[in-house]
Amino acid sequence: MTEPAATLLSARGLTRTYPGVRALDGVDLTLRAGEIHALLGENGAGKSTLINLLTGAQPIEAGSIHLDGREVRPRSPADAAASGIVAVYQEITLLPNLSVAENIYLGREPTRFGLVDRARMRREAAILLSRFGLSIDPAQPLSAFSTAVQQLIAIARAVDMSARVLILDEPTASLDSAEVAVLFRLMRELAASGMAVLFVTHFLDQVYEVTHRITVLRGGKLVGERKTAALPRLDLVAMMLGKLPSGDNHLQRHAAREPGAPFVTVKDLGKRHLVAPFSAGIRRGEVLGVAGLLGSGRTETALLLFGAERADAGEIIVDGAAVTLRGPRDAIRLGFGFCPEDRKLDGIVPDLSIRENIVLALQARLGWVRRLPLARQRELADTYIKLLNIRTPDAEKPIQLLSGGNQQKALLARWLATKPRLLILDEPTRGIDVGAHAEIILLLEKLRDEGMALYVISSEVEEVAAYADRVMVMRERRQAGMLTGEEVTPSAIIDAIVTPVDMPPPGRAA
Amino acid sequence: MSGWFMEARSRLALLALVLLANVLVAPGFLELRLVDGRLFGGIIDILNRGAPVMLLAVGMAPVIATRGIDLSVGAVMAIAGAVAAATVNAGHAWPVAVMAALGTGLACGLWNGVLVTIFRMQPIVATLILMVAGRGIAQMITEGRVLTFTDDGLAGVSSASLLGLPLPVLIALAAAIITGLLVRATALGLFIEAVGTSPRAARLAGVPAPGILIGVYVWSGLMAALAGLIAAADIRGADANNAGLWLELDAILAVVIGGTSLYGGRFSIGLSVLGALILQGMRTCILRSGLPPELNLLLMALVIALVLVVQSPACQPAIARLTARLTRKGTA
Amino acid sequence: MKAFAKYGAVALMLAAMTGCGDKGGADKAADAGKTAGALTIGFSQIGSESGWRAAETKLAKSEAEKRGITLKVSDAQQQQANQIKAIRSFIAQGVDAILLAPVISSGWDEVLGEAKAANIPVVLLDRQIDTADASLYLSAVTSDTVEEGRVAGRWLVSTLAGRDCRVVEIQGTIGASLVANRKKGFEEGISTAANVQIVRTQSGEFTRAKGKEVMEGFIKAEAPGSICAVYAHNDDMMIGAIQAMKEAGLKPGSDILAVSIDAVPDIFKAMADGDANATVELTPDMASRAYDLLAAYKKDGTQPPKWVQTPSTLYLPDTAAAEYERRKDLY
């Protein structure tokens, strides 16, 4: 790989705040002409926000963007495209029922006597597509082609709009390996022609295969920019997951305790195309941490354990007896609770009040006939608002008005009200402010010490290493290891995440 | 409860305006007379004529709250009326006919609920099937004619009175109260709103979403059957072509005027009933105004547009400021 | 063209299966009819949306049978497209004439042009069409809807014998030409009498329920005892209005005179019970006049008039019981 030359795009100090959380905090990004640049980070790291600012989908709060040394301040995606910054997203944003040619020239159709010149449009589309190695009929509707081809067409459209900076957001997520190869060849050609390609992905192999440089974000902040060739995979994952330089660990690992009675045992639980069979045991008063990168299958293990997805293999044993989970209600009846990763979509019920959100799971377990009296509901809500320090004037406010951290506490309250025996938490501290973050960690430790079993999925390796008794590591949708006792260190977790598993990934092989 | 009255205030004001318009059109409108132990008066007429749409709105509000819609209620009215008429004409007693009609309504609701819940059809499509086919089913039962009957018991569903009030009014009010209790004295209301606002979150919290969904459609079918009985009893005949025609739209409008969003979530039975009464009040006023009938639809549309614009999120802050200023002046 | 005709025939068959249903018999009769030299006539009917229309179809069949005519009925289920298909199919089958009860008034020029080119005379039943070329059809047999209103108005004037009378009018669905005509005719019928005036008019949308609701409104809005007569554009609305009067404690037929149009069976029942006073017949027997003029035209080329009006007969309570018996199975 040749060393890319001049700086093409330079973003400095980009900042964007959402209510209660700083989504992007003074982030810098430098793209050089002719380079493929990876943008990496876990969910909530700020990748989408950064792209939105670069493409004008959201206004810039603070900071600046320079393209070719001139400041640009895109007010809309069309505006950004006019300056030469174009994004192509994973969900293709073209119109499936229009023809390929119409999609490529949508909004800028060649005209003749004021009318759209269809013949010319098709001719030019064919020439353009042939440059991308696509010999397809541009008169066909877009929907006639595979996702991979649609992706290439979307890129062709972007390039034809004289893009200087091409942003590809998870372009390979639904492509097979041959299609990925075609896409990579195209990316290299575009870079060689002097463009800069910003490649957002969670496939680390692909990052090492195709990119020149890497920028890593975490929690809305810039972790650093590195040359790909000079960054070992271990160090990359450590950057993404927030491992501090060794010896600098301020979080003290809690003292080893007498293990409690075994509560839930999972034996070879799995589902085809979702996650390969995994096994784990959770005792009372114990935290089982689950580590892995985005897309590693870590969330899927929780969905199976909570019955939100039905397993097709293996068994779950609770208190020595095998159980079948036909849905979340079965899990709740066993005393399980689950705070999902996507708080806004899967967690809160936005229109309802904080009180109603808190009592929802308990009420659902009681059934519709035995309604909790309003006084009891208020008492419960007030108790937990106080206990968890949820910052709100009263319990009758719609929950959507709360900040992310307080929403998360209300969701914890929803489950604590059911007096759960096992609490499953998927990224409980993501996207919330520092104060709430610390409070939630303290709460988890308190619950553990009171004898609750906890199953905590987290990309915060330092934290997991501190409070988890054992850590299950997921990689490529299968269990990659189980660390116990003294083995539970941030370095060991990252090692396990990075070390390839011998077996081929599921789904493809199945 | 005070929250409900805050919500209800604007609708009550609207209803008052509509009643005032009626008084302007017919000066004796608000008078109530007791003749032969039965109340007569403009208010009673509105309640009586509005009973079918009130019933439909009572059934429709929970459906809309689950982010659904039931377009079939007008057709279910026609089927239920036809079943009742055919049953008494076949020589059965009127209670049998009433039970048969209500059973038909339950079955229709179950059909809708199963299509929406088990087959995951979009509610608008699922209920469109019965909306179109239902009238055909009713026409098959009546053979395309107005199927008249002479059974006084069945006709009494519309013409009888109790405690001075016409039976349709009592049926509609009882249905509203029972439904209101059913959703608010139990946890059903909370579950319905949770499912309608965020189906995935509700499922993960353990809310029995499929049962709730089927339940609201079954209830809507039952309410529609009651409305169909009243409509058939009113004209002593089942008119498959016209019974309940377009009333599904009136019911949806009543629920919307009652403040429920078509995107689901918060709903109120009481406010939906108020919405139905506002609509009927407007209709009665226009019918009695003596204005040329060519203006009926135009007037109705203008008033409804006005009501909805006033209730729109864009107008709410301005209205809140206005009421705040008025109340300040009032107390000062 | 051939393929087109084939699809037309399939459509006709489907329509016949879902609609009137006795296609098999008609087909066999058609073969027999051809050899005997009798007429084969295709009838594109709108549908079977009302008792009146069902009666029109029934009478078309029975009158055809009487005359030895082979009648092929196609039920269009309220769709013009179905009617056009049916007509094309009739042309392909080489019928001798076509009867058309058009569902809407416009858009017939092309298909009627095809019939004309095939030399097949078309007679419109019950409704007129809008066309610049009157030669596209042989004749139109319809009632005179203005005359219907006139007959009702004249009856009221003569019944009142000079007495002052405030009339309320229940119109049909706003926008239908039928409604405008029945309104206009009635106004003409009472124009000679200064003692009769229409004080309120409102739409009852041709249904019983709306007729009842409108009448309730009239009774409430007018001073007690001040309404002397009600005129309804159809009998169904009158039946609803009669219920409204009864529930308000009034005696329809004597306290308030009741005159309406159509002559459906139920209004005869009401007349026999003394609840209604008069109805003007819109006869469902449209087809027999069409058969007669077609027979004359086929025999020696007699050109019928372009518009044949069916009589608007007035019926009074004296014959009501007998008329009810005669009609109850027809509708």
Side-chain angles (χ1 to χ4, degrees):
Chain A
M1 288 177 199
T2 53
E3 175 64 21
T7 296
L8 181 59
L9 178 136
S10 156
R12 290 291 169 267
L14 290 183
T15 299
R16 174 82 191 159
T17 317
Y18 298 127
V21 59
R22 184 153 278 200
L24 207 60
D25 190 357
V27 166
D28 300 342
L29 176 71
T30 307
L31 300 179
R32 296 152 189 86
E35 85 173 351
I36 301 174
H37 193 117
L39 178 63
L40 301 180
E42 290 286 279
N43 274 341
K47 291 172 296 180
S48 309
T49 309
L50 178 56
I51 295 174
N52 285 340
L53 297 191
L54 292 176
T55 58
Q58 288 179 357
I60 297 168
E61 206 171 284
S64 65
I65 303 171
H66 285 80
L67 188 66
D68 269 342
R70 272 189 321 116
E71 175 157 14
V72 289
R73 198 164 261 272
R75 286 178 305 273
S76 68
D79 197 17
S83 334
I85 306 174
V86 182
V88 173
Y89 294 94
Q90 176 185 0
E91 299 89 22
I92 293 157
T93 45
L94 299 181
L95 305 169
N97 51 342
L98 293 189
S99 76
V100 171
E102 283 166 328
N103 265 297
I104 291 177
Y105 293 106
L106 194 66
R108 49 192 191 101
E109 293 88 350
T111 56
R112 192 167 163 225
F113 312 126
L115 297 171
V116 173
D117 187 347
R118 284 174 192 286
R120 193 178 133 205
M121 197 160 87
R122 278 199 292 274
R123 221 164 39 236
E124 291 184 355
I127 295 168
L128 176 66
L129 291 171
S130 68
R131 276 174 47 205
F132 289 84
L134 285 173
S135 54
I136 58 173
D137 177 6
Q140 290 275 312
L142 185 73
S143 55
F145 300 100
S146 70
T147 317
V149 173
Q150 292 188 26
Q151 194 97 50
L152 295 179
I153 291 167
I155 294 171
R157 172 183 160 85
V159 170
D160 194 53
M161 289 163 83
S162 63
R164 311 286 316 280
V165 175
L166 178 65
I167 303 170
L168 299 175
D169 188 0
E170 294 280 3
T172 57
S174 43
L175 305 188
D176 67 29
S177 50
E179 291 166 340
V180 168
V182 171
L183 178 68
F184 283 180
R185 205 183 65 213
L186 177 60
M187 283 163 63
R188 289 195 185 100
E189 280 169 18
L190 293 175
S193 75
M195 286 172 63
V197 178
L198 185 64
F199 179 43
V200 182
T201 185
H202 64 271
F203 295 110
L204 298 191
D205 292 344
Q206 297 180 357
V207 170
Y208 281 99
E209 187 181 340
V210 77
T211 69
H212 302 102
R213 274 171 208 267
I214 299 171
T215 290
V216 178
L217 301 182
R218 189 164 158 272
K221 289 200 171 71
L222 175 69
V223 179
E225 191 213 60
R226 301 281 190 279
K227 279 190 185 167
T228 309
L231 181 65
R233 192 177 285 237
L234 201 64
D235 294 353
L236 171 60
V237 174
M239 281 172 82
M240 290 168 67
L241 298 188
K243 180 184 170 291
L244 303 159
S246 50
D248 193 20
N249 190 349
H250 65 281
L251 292 167
Q252 282 306 303
R253 181 161 170 76
H254 73 89
R257 292 160 301 116
E258 281 296 299
F263 175 44
V264 179
T265 308
V266 175
K267 270 193 194 158
D268 296 325
L269 194 67
K271 182 173 182 176
R272 272 166 68 98
H273 306 300
L274 197 68
V275 62
F278 66 98
S279 300
I282 313 162
R283 296 164 195 272
R284 294 177 204 281
E286 180 181 88
V287 176
L288 175 64
V290 182
L293 294 176
L294 191 62
S296 63
R298 58 189 189 189
T299 294
E300 287 76 3
T301 63
L303 296 178
L304 288 180
L305 185 55
F306 193 61
E309 290 277 355
R310 283 196 71 168
D312 58 12
E315 57 180 350
I316 300 172
I317 296 156
V318 178
D319 276 338
V323 295
T324 312
L325 302 180
R326 285 178 310 257
R329 286 173 64 73
D330 284 348
I332 293 167
R333 221 168 279 132
L334 290 167
F336 294 7
F338 175 44
C339 290
E341 178 178 12
D342 191 334
R343 202 164 46 227
K344 286 204 163 22
L345 204 59
D346 300 337
I348 62 166
V349 183
D351 285 2
L352 297 188
S353 68
I354 301 165
R355 165 178 59 81
E356 287 168 314
N357 268 284
I358 288 178
V359 302
L360 188 61
L362 177 59
Q363 183 66 70
R365 196 163 78 175
L366 292 174
W368 65 272
V369 181
R370 290 167 55 203
R371 175 176 182 262
L372 287 165
L374 194 59
R376 176 84 187 109
Q377 293 187 26
R378 292 217 167 104
E379 190 190 315
L380 270 172
D382 290 340
T383 307
Y384 283 104
I385 285 173
K386 214 169 143 200
L387 190 71
L388 303 186
N389 194 18
I390 299 173
R391 267 162 232 123
T392 174
D394 69 279
E396 299 306 316
K397 283 254 174 310
I399 195 166
Q400 55 190 337
L401 300 182
L402 294 185
S403 72
N406 285 307
Q407 287 181 4
Q408 184 69 305
K409 289 190 212 163
L411 286 181
L412 280 167
R414 173 189 291 173
W415 291 111
L416 294 183
T418 68
K419 302 262 177 285
R421 299 192 291 170
L422 168 69
L423 199 49
I424 304 164
L425 305 164
D426 193 354
E427 292 284 7
T429 55
R430 161 166 309 151
I432 64 184
D433 50 289
V434 182
H437 190 132
E439 285 175 300
I440 287 174
I441 299 295
L442 280 176
L443 175 71
L444 296 189
E445 288 174 342
K446 182 164 159 268
L447 293 172
R448 175 198 64 201
D449 294 342
E450 287 169 4
M452 194 181 291
L454 293 161
Y455 185 94
V456 184
I457 299 168
S458 177
S459 20
E460 307 277 344
V461 279
E462 295 284 344
E463 278 173 26
V464 175
Y467 60 66
D469 296 85
R470 282 177 300 150
V471 173
M472 175 165 80
V473 179
M474 299 299 295
R475 188 175 195 272
E476 292 177 1
R477 298 185 176 260
R478 59 177 63 246
Q479 189 170 3
M482 179 68 83
L483 307 173
T484 316
E486 293 308 311
E487 297 166 18
V488 181
T489 65
S491 311
I493 294 172
I494 290 174
D495 268 344
I497 288 175
V498 173
T499 311
V501 198
D502 294 339
M503 285 175 289
R508 300 266 162 86
Chain B
M1 219 45 202
S2 64
W4 189 88
F5 274 113
M6 292 286 281
E7 283 272 308
R9 220 169 38 183
S10 63
R11 280 82 179 180
L12 286 170
L14 266 171
L15 187 59
L17 273 179
V18 168
L19 293 179
L20 181 71
N22 269 294
V23 173
L24 292 178
V25 165
F29 183 80
L30 290 177
E31 283 169 25
L32 279 176
R33 284 172 296 122
L34 196 64
V35 181
D36 301 333
R38 186 174 175 167
L39 281 169
F40 286 89
I43 305 272
I44 303 294
D45 290 341
I46 289 180
L47 284 168
N48 199 11
R49 281 279 149 233
V53 174
M54 273 161 69
L55 282 166
L56 296 184
V58 163
M60 185 74 76
V63 172
I64 290 180
T66 63
R67 209 180 286 187
I69 201 149
D70 188 350
L71 293 181
S72 72
V73 289
V76 173
M77 277 178 72
I79 300 176
V83 166
T87 310
V88 287
N89 283 353
H92 298 284
W94 69 266
V96 178
V98 168
M99 294 318 286
L102 296 184
T104 309
L106 287 175
C108 290
L110 188 62
W111 162 266
N112 285 332
V114 165
L115 289 187
V116 170
T117 311
I118 312 280
F119 293 93
R120 308 266 176 93
M121 280 192 204
Q122 288 176 9
I124 196 164
V125 178
T127 57
L128 192 61
I129 295 172
L130 193 56
M131 176 184 179
V132 176
R135 219 157 267 291
I137 295 169
Q139 281 163 351
M140 259 166 53
I141 299 171
T142 64
E143 293 165 355
R145 300 168 297 171
V146 178
L147 192 61
T148 53
F149 56 84
T150 52
D151 187 291
D152 285 328
L154 188 55
V157 172
S158 164
S159 58
S161 66
L162 198 70
L163 308 168
L165 286 171
L167 201 51
V169 178
L170 291 173
I171 292 174
L173 291 181
I177 291 167
I178 291 171
T179 309
L181 284 177
L182 205 54
V183 297
R184 295 301 169 198
T186 72
L188 276 179
L190 177 66
F191 291 174
I192 288 170
E193 288 172 348
V195 169
T197 313
S198 185
R200 285 166 57 169
R203 177 168 174 264
L204 287 177
V207 174
I212 297 282
L213 274 181
I214 292 184
V216 294
Y217 285 95
V218 167
W219 195 252
S220 176
L222 183 68
M223 293 297 117
L226 274 173
L229 274 171
I230 291 173
D234 184 37
I235 59 167
R236 291 172 174 260
D239 186 346
N241 295 321
N242 298 305
L245 193 62
W246 308 127
L247 284 197
E248 55 280 339
L249 300 183
D250 281 21
I252 292 165
L253 205 51
V255 174
V256 169
I257 292 176
T260 304
S261 159
L262 289 182
Y263 293 115
R266 293 280 187 201
F267 75 106
S268 159
I269 300 295
L271 293 181
S272 302
V273 168
L274 272 185
L277 289 176
I278 290 168
L279 284 180
Q280 185 59 41
M282 279 157 48
R283 183 157 297 141
T284 303
C285 180
I286 290 168
L287 275 184
R288 294 183 184 182
S289 63
L291 290 169
E294 288 79 2
L295 293 178
N296 288 3
L297 295 175
L298 184 65
L299 279 175
M300 200 76 185
L302 281 176
V303 179
I304 289 169
L306 191 71
V307 168
L308 294 180
V309 165
V310 166
Q311 283 187 11
S312 68
C315 280
Q316 278 307 304
I319 289 170
R321 277 197 302 278
L322 193 69
T323 40
R325 195 179 310 160
L326 287 178
T327 40
R328 247 202 323 277
K329 265 188 194 147
T331 51
Chain C
M1 198 60 217
K2 217 170 185 179
F4 209 76
K6 204 157 86 189
Y7 286 128
V10 171
L12 172 69
M13 225 145 77
L14 284 174
M17 260 151 47
T18 49
C20 301
D22 57 354
K23 164 100 167 87
D27 262 359
K28 278 183 205 113
D31 298 334
K34 279 266 158 59
T35 51
L39 291 178
T40 298
I41 295 178
F43 177 20
S44 172
Q45 175 62 294
I46 293 175
S48 49
E49 73 278 7
S50 66
W52 186 88
R53 199 154 293 285
E56 183 186 39
T57 310
K58 253 185 222 173
L59 282 165
K61 285 180 188 164
S62 63
E63 292 293 325
E65 210 167 298
K66 270 189 211 162
R67 290 167 170 76
I69 292 170
T70 306
L71 187 69
K72 303 175 171 212
V73 183
S74 161
D75 180 334
Q77 315 227 328
Q78 317 291 329
Q79 303 279 324
Q80 185 179 31
N82 291 345
Q83 292 204 295
I84 290 173
K85 275 186 207 155
I87 293 170
R88 292 211 165 111
S89 152
F90 290 145
I91 296 169
Q93 294 170 47
V95 296
D96 299 307
I98 294 171
L99 302 186
L100 168 64
V103 66
I104 60 168
S105 57
S106 55
W108 298 102
D109 287 15
E110 191 186 334
V111 69
L112 292 190
E114 290 167 26
K116 189 182 170 191
N119 226 354
I120 300 173
V122 174
V123 177
L124 304 177
L125 278 198
D126 166 41
R127 296 182 186 185
Q128 299 273 8
I129 60 168
D130 290 335
T131 176
D133 181 5
S135 73
L136 288 177
Y137 62 92
L138 182 68
S139 178
V141 178
T142 78
S143 71
D144 181 348
T145 47
V146 179
E147 178 65 13
E148 288 162 359
R150 255 184 237 127
V151 170
R154 281 193 217 114
W155 169 83
L156 184 62
V157 170
S158 68
T159 305
L160 290 167
R163 201 150 44 89
D164 279 349
C165 185
R166 292 160 59 81
V167 183
V168 295
E169 178 189 31
I170 307 177
Q171 299 188 27
T173 308
I174 300 298
S177 64
L178 170 68
V179 172
N181 288 346
R182 285 182 175 174
K183 182 171 175 57
K184 179 168 158 242
F186 186 78
E187 283 164 358
E188 285 175 20
I190 62 171
S191 62
T192 51
N195 57 321
V196 185
Q197 55 166 350
I198 298 173
V199 293
R200 277 186 182 263
T201 180
Q202 186 50 262
S203 168
E205 295 170 23
F206 284 131
T207 72
R208 284 189 192 197
K210 284 277 168 12
K212 185 179 178 189
E213 188 175 353
V214 166
M215 191 64 201
E216 277 177 4
F218 287 161
I219 295 168
K220 296 275 160 62
E222 288 291 311
S226 71
I227 301 173
C228 118
V230 52
Y231 163 54
H233 286 195
N234 78 352
D235 292 335
D236 264 339
M237 293 190 292
M238 182 59 85
I239 291 164
I242 287 169
Q243 284 175 6
M245 289 184 262
K246 282 184 173 170
E247 284 175 20
L250 297 166
K251 254 202 75 48
S254 48
D255 290 349
I256 297 179
L257 297 175
V259 55
S260 52
I261 300 177
D262 273 1
V264 301
D266 281 350
I267 200 73
F268 286 105
K269 207 195 263 169
M271 280 201 280
D273 294 343
D275 294 333
N277 305 87
T279 186
V280 181
E281 183 183 46
L282 163 65
T283 180
D285 183 16
M286 299 274 169
S288 68
R289 286 170 185 81
Y291 295 150
D292 291 347
L293 65 87
L294 277 170
Y297 176 73
K298 284 279 172 186
K299 195 171 146 220
D300 48 20
T302 312
Q303 274 294 338
K306 213 66 203 178
W307 184 23
V308 177
Q309 292 146 36
T310 56
S312 301
T313 316
L314 181 72
Y315 285 90
L316 296 173
D318 51 346
T319 58
E323 286 294 331
Y324 177 69
E325 285 307 315
R326 196 166 72 78
R327 288 161 194 265
K328 69 175 186 203
D329 293 325
L330 188 58
Y331 282 77

